[in-house]
Amino acid sequence: MVISKSLKGSKLTVALEGRLDTTTAPELEQALSASYGGVTELVFDLQRLDYISSAGLRVLLSAQKVMNRQGSMTVRNAGSAIRDIFDVTGFSDILTIE
């Protein structure tokens, strides 16, 4: 998985490419932990994300909890396979998806 971060003011955009699964979730979790300081808006761009497992969902949920305390979080450009996973797991009701 490739993680690309872009910080503009207090807005952090994180673009994910590849598979977010048990192997790559800890890498994303670590990248996010190091980046939360001063961030009031977190945007995940999932346009190039092919797959997300329960471990990946856990990282998104954890990020949502952090951002509930310090700002907002949005998921953008999720493909149909990722949207289906969000729907089946109920994450569509938890996350702000555009």
Side-chain angles (χ1 to χ4, degrees), residues 16-36:
L16 304 178
E17 182 176 344
R19 295 173 57 89
L20 179 52
D21 56 23
T22 306
T23 306
T24 58
E27 179 185 352
L28 177 59
E29 193 166 38
Q30 185 176 25
L32 290 172
S33 293
S35 303
Y36 285 128

Side-chain angles (χ1 to χ4, degrees), residues 1 9 18 36 38 59-60 69:
M1 181 177 69
Y36 285 128
V59 175
L60 291 183
R69 291 191 300 271

Side-chain angles (χ1 to χ4, degrees), residues 29-77:
E29 193 166 38
Q30 185 176 25
L32 290 172
S33 293
S35 303
Y36 285 128
V39 172
T40 59
E41 183 180 357
L42 175 61
V43 176
F44 282 100
D45 184 343
L46 305 185
Q47 184 171 6
R48 295 185 175 185
L49 189 68
D50 301 321
Y51 173 79
I52 187 167
S53 73
S54 59
L57 292 172
R58 182 184 55 77
V59 175
L60 291 183
L61 182 60
S62 184
Q64 181 67 65
K65 287 180 180 178
V66 169
M67 294 313 299
N68 283 345
R69 291 191 300 271
Q70 65 188 58
S72 65
M73 182 177 114
T74 306
V75 175
R76 293 190 178 141
N77 302 320

